[in-house]
Amino acid sequence: RAGLGMKHPQAQAALSMEGNSLLGLGRAREALAPFEELLALRVEAHGPIHPETALAASDLADALRASGDTVRAEALEATHVAP
């Protein structure tokens, strides 16, 4: 992460892969941190309504649902995925 800086697209792709790998292993709560970091970076770079932001929000919403937090998942999607 330190080499490229977190604003670099490859560093952000690594966050996405980390989150999706953890989610795939059934470790949804651990997947939240990389997905939350990625969403924050995407909102900063592209704003709240952008395809890259929506993808990051959707991944985070999936992890939230898998963690049992459907209320936050739905709110997140209403804000970034289908506003």
Side-chain angles (χ1 to χ4, degrees):
R1 291 181 179 188
L4 296 174
M6 292 313 297
K7 292 185 179 185
H8 192 281
Q10 288 180 336
Q12 292 181 21
L15 282 173
S16 178
M17 287 186 281
E18 178 184 0
N20 280 303
S21 294
L22 289 166
L23 191 57
L25 291 169
R27 296 163 54 183
R29 290 194 188 276
E30 291 175 67
L32 294 175
F35 284 145
E36 287 170 339
E37 184 176 356
L38 178 60
L39 179 59
L41 289 164
R42 296 274 169 88
V43 168
E44 180 183 338
H46 305 294
I49 309 300
H50 185 276
E52 292 292 328
T53 304
L55 182 59
S58 180
D59 285 343
L60 177 54
D62 289 344
L64 287 165
R65 271 193 197 82
S67 299
D69 193 347
T70 56
V71 172
R72 187 168 165 219
E74 290 173 5
L76 189 66
E77 288 179 330
T79 301
H80 298 290
V81 179

